[in-house]
Each structure stands twice: as structure tokens, then as C-alpha cells.
Amino acid sequence: VVEMPEPTPATPDPPGVRRRSGPRPGNTRSRRQILEAAKLAFAANGYAGTSMRGVAREAGVDPSLIVHFFQTKAGLFSAVVEWPYDGTRVAADIEHVEIDALGAYSATTFFGNWEADEQRDPMISMIQAALADPAAAALLREYITVNFALPLVTRAGTDQPLLRAGLIAAQLMGMGLARYALAFDALRNAPTEQLIAVLGESIQRSCTGPIPPA
Amino acid sequence: VVEMPEPTPATPDPPGVRRRSGPRPGNTRSRRQILEAAKLAFAANGYAGTSMRGVAREAGVDPSLIVHFFQTKAGLFSAVVEWPYDGTRVAADIEHVEIDALGAYSATTFFGNWEADEQRDPMISMIQAALADPAAAALLREYITVNFALPLVTRAGTDQPLLRAGLIAAQLMGMGLARYALAFDALRNAPTEQLIAVLGESIQRSCTGPIPPA
């Protein structure tokens, strides 16, 4: 890969004009090149095996530009592996779900997302990254907690909300990995409707049932 | 690392004597060298980033010797990352646990194993490997099912045993990763006794409670 120079802006600034500090066209192109190189690198080498320096080399840009755009490897990764659905929309929806339907709602949403290949694969990659890197783990924790688990528990209005949110996150992650990544036969072969019923009951208990005291 | 020749057996076989086909002393040493090199390689490069050829090079042996001893990368990995407790002992214990104490028994055993660093780290490595390689996933599925989840459900004597075993495996893996690897604050900070109570109730339901029909 040849190191490519940043293109010169088409028209030079007139004297005395201070340009807005928005992205230059060359930056936009570099950012896209970095994301494309990073996507290939993460797919080929995994999260731990990918370096920002290697991505810069493949993208034909200076490593400092990656830091400029994405700050860290975790930041680069989260830009590449965008969580495949709009979490803020889910959190907004939850405010309108009946409290005794929170489990059914979340199980239905969960399996809807995990059944689709193009949504499942990035989620599995994100979990793999989180297991390899504390910064990626922090991203994933925040994502699940803020956009899904805590809104459910807040809507339920029960005690120990953060513990309940953690228990919900553990159940969702466990089911996702066991059915779709490790592929336990009985889970893989069970009809989705049956698993929605099982997981829904369990999450409903985590939202509104009693939790043993600390 | 220098390629080392196999040492010659100390005493040649007398004429007419057919040696037993057990391991030669050189083989034992080679096997140990392979395991040491593999342990370092898996730790440094992860499961996906480790090749049998690279391990052979580091160990100073021919790659065919790794195939001879361990068959596959998954086989090599499972020899390196021995599951850190004796699963067959747990399965034997379960036969003597009261049916309504199966949840409490399994949650107590689970947290006992995961609380110890030297047991937790290999389990997380094993899960990472399973997410990267179908052969390692098959090993992990079989290990959890045969040594833990299915004995619990068999002891309970309830319907849909394989589905119940899968649900138990999902819960255990989810809790292990959420508390110890992703480190959700509320789970990390909760007293182990509280989590034993929560997980124990949940696993007891998976053992003896009703499961929605398929």
C-alpha cells in the first residue's frame, strides 16, 4: 500500500477569510479509508490482533490521523462495528411498554435482533472484543446498560435497579452466545417463540420479582 | 529456537524383542515442550492467532508430532487449558444432592470455581476460544453439558432435559462473563452470597419448574 498524500483543497482560502474548522474533504476520504481498512483488519485478525499502526499502514494514512478521528482502538472498533440497531429508539419505546409486559417485550426485541445475521455477527464481534480489551468491555457495558437493561428496570420502578440491570444483561448475553455462537443443539433447535416465552418470564422476574437482599 | 533431534533411547532393544508401543522418553519430553510452547503462544496471540506450525517451531519439534499427540488445534488447546476442576467429580456429587437443592448446589459450585483467579482465567480463555473456533465451541458445549448441566437436569427428572441443560449453560456462562470478564459494576460489587441466592433460584426453576412447550 502506497502512502497517499492528503489532496489539496480545490480552492485556496481568500486572504483574510478564516475557514470553519469542519472536516476538509481529504479528511472525510481518509476517515472512510481508515474505517474500511479497520473493518478488514478486525475481521481478519480479531480485536486483539489488530493494531492502529497496522490499520494506518493499510489505509495509507499517518497513525496520528486515526488517533485524531477515533482516539483509541476501542473507539475505532465501535465506529467499525456500529451496534446494529438504534439503541436510543429501544430505550424510548420501553417507556410505553406495560410493566407486566417488560419481559415479553425485551425477549421479543432481543431475538428479533439476534435472528438476523447482519445484526448478530457484529454483536458477537463486540462481545469478543470486550473479552479481549477492558476499553471495549466498558463500551459494551455502557451500551447494554444505558440503552436496554436500565430503561427496563427504571420502567419497572423496583429496588436495586443496577443489580437487576446487570442480571438482565447477563441473561441476554448468555442466551445470545449459547444459542448463536456456541450453538448448544437444544437451544439452536428450539422454536424462537418457545425461547421468547422462557427468556421473557425470566427477564420479567428480574424486572419486577423479588431479589434476595444483599 | 534450534530444531532439536529426538534423543536416541538409552539402550537399544535386544534382537527379537518387540517393544511395547508406549511413549518413548523422547516423546514425553517433546509433548511437554509442545505444551509449554502452546501455553505461551495461546497467552500471547489468543486462540485464533496461534497456529500449530508456529507452536511446533517454538517447541523445536516437527508439526506432525503435534498432530500425533493432540490431533487438532482444539485438542492442543484443551490439553493446555485444562478445565480447572474435575468435572466428573461434580457430576458424581450431583447424584446425591436433594432435588430441591439443585439450584443452590450448582450456584454455590459455580461461584466457588469462578471466584478463584487460577480457575476463572482458563474458563474465560476457553470461552474466548469457543467464540473463535467451532471445534473449541464443540469442546466447551460437551464439557458443560456432560459434566454439569445435564447431570443436574437428569437428577431433577423433568421433561425437555436437553433444552433445560442449554438454558442452565446459558445462565452460567452469562453470569460468569458479565460479573468477571465484562465486570458490570453492580454484579462485580454484589456479595457472592446474594448472587448465589439469585442464580440458585433461577437454576432451580430451570431444573424443576415448568418450561413453556415448544
Side-chain angles (χ1 to χ4, degrees):
Chain A
V1 173
V2 177
E3 191 87 14
M4 280 176 288
E6 290 292 317
T8 315
T11 48
D13 294 339
V17 169
R18 222 174 46 199
R19 283 164 54 85
R20 285 183 307 132
S21 62
R24 292 179 300 141
N27 272 358
T28 306
R29 207 189 66 176
S30 301
R31 189 178 191 282
R32 201 183 59 237
Q33 285 168 337
I34 292 166
L35 284 172
E36 281 167 13
K39 190 170 193 171
L40 292 173
F42 284 126
N45 311 319
Y47 185 83
T50 298
S51 71
M52 288 171 79
R53 186 165 296 277
V55 170
R57 198 167 48 238
E58 290 299 322
V61 302
D62 191 85
S64 66
L65 203 59
I66 303 193
V67 176
H68 169 71
F69 284 129
F70 304 101
Q71 287 80 55
T72 60
K73 184 161 86 168
L76 176 61
F77 183 80
S78 81
V80 169
V81 182
E82 288 175 58
W83 201 257
Y85 58 89
D86 182 353
T88 44
R89 194 183 54 71
V90 172
D93 279 359
I94 288 170
E95 294 179 32
H96 305 287
V97 176
E98 294 294 326
I99 288 177
D100 59 8
L102 286 170
Y105 168 84
S106 42
T108 305
T109 303
F110 171 84
F111 283 107
N113 289 321
W114 279 78
E115 281 293 317
D117 292 0
E118 75 279 8
Q119 302 194 16
R120 176 174 63 247
D121 295 344
M123 291 189 283
I124 293 175
S125 297
M126 185 80 193
I127 293 172
Q128 287 181 301
L131 295 178
D133 180 319
L139 280 175
L140 181 60
R141 284 200 306 272
E142 186 187 348
Y143 199 98
I144 298 176
T145 304
V146 170
N147 290 308
F148 204 83
L150 199 52
L152 285 173
V153 174
T154 304
R155 174 79 180 117
T158 36
D159 67 332
Q160 305 187 71
L162 284 170
L163 177 60
R164 290 174 188 270
L167 294 170
I168 290 168
Q171 289 172 71
L172 296 175
M173 193 164 54
M175 175 62 81
L177 294 182
R179 173 162 155 107
Y180 298 101
L182 299 196
F184 281 85
D185 288 341
L187 295 179
R188 205 185 47 195
N189 297 335
T192 309
E193 295 68 29
Q194 185 181 25
L195 294 180
I196 288 177
V198 174
L199 189 67
E201 283 180 12
S202 181
I203 294 192
Q204 186 68 41
R205 273 190 299 269
S206 296
C207 286
T208 56
I211 294 275
Chain B
V1 173
V2 177
E3 192 86 16
M4 279 177 288
E6 290 292 317
T8 316
T11 47
D13 295 339
V17 170
R18 219 171 50 196
R19 285 165 52 84
R20 284 183 308 134
S21 62
R24 292 179 299 141
N27 272 358
T28 306
R29 208 189 64 174
S30 302
R31 189 176 191 282
R32 201 183 57 237
Q33 286 168 336
I34 292 168
L35 283 173
E36 282 166 13
K39 191 171 193 170
L40 292 174
F42 284 126
N45 311 318
Y47 184 83
T50 297
S51 71
M52 290 172 76
R53 185 165 297 276
V55 170
R57 198 167 48 237
E58 290 300 321
V61 303
D62 191 87
S64 65
L65 203 58
I66 304 194
V67 176
H68 169 72
F69 283 129
F70 305 101
Q71 287 80 55
T72 61
K73 184 161 86 168
L76 176 60
F77 184 80
S78 80
V80 169
V81 183
E82 288 176 57
W83 202 257
Y85 57 87
D86 182 352
T88 44
R89 195 185 52 72
V90 172
D93 279 358
I94 288 170
E95 293 178 34
H96 306 287
V97 175
E98 294 295 326
I99 287 177
D100 59 9
L102 287 169
Y105 168 83
S106 43
T108 305
T109 304
F110 171 83
F111 283 107
N113 289 321
W114 279 78
E115 281 293 317
D117 292 1
E118 75 279 8
Q119 302 194 17
R120 178 174 61 247
D121 295 344
M123 290 190 283
I124 292 175
S125 296
M126 186 79 192
I127 293 172
Q128 288 181 299
L131 295 179
D133 181 317
L139 281 174
L140 181 61
R141 283 200 305 273
E142 186 186 348
Y143 200 97
I144 298 176
T145 304
V146 170
N147 290 309
F148 204 82
L150 200 53
L152 284 173
V153 174
T154 304
R155 174 77 179 115
T158 35
D159 66 334
Q160 304 187 72
L162 284 169
L163 177 60
R164 290 174 187 271
L167 294 170
I168 290 168
Q171 290 172 71
L172 296 174
M173 193 163 54
M175 176 62 81
L177 294 182
R179 175 162 154 105
Y180 298 100
L182 299 198
F184 281 84
D185 288 340
L187 295 178
R188 206 185 47 195
N189 298 334
T192 310
E193 296 68 29
Q194 186 181 24
L195 294 180
I196 288 177
V198 173
L199 189 67
E201 283 181 12
S202 181
I203 294 191
Q204 186 67 41
R205 271 191 299 269
S206 297
C207 286
T208 56
I211 293 275

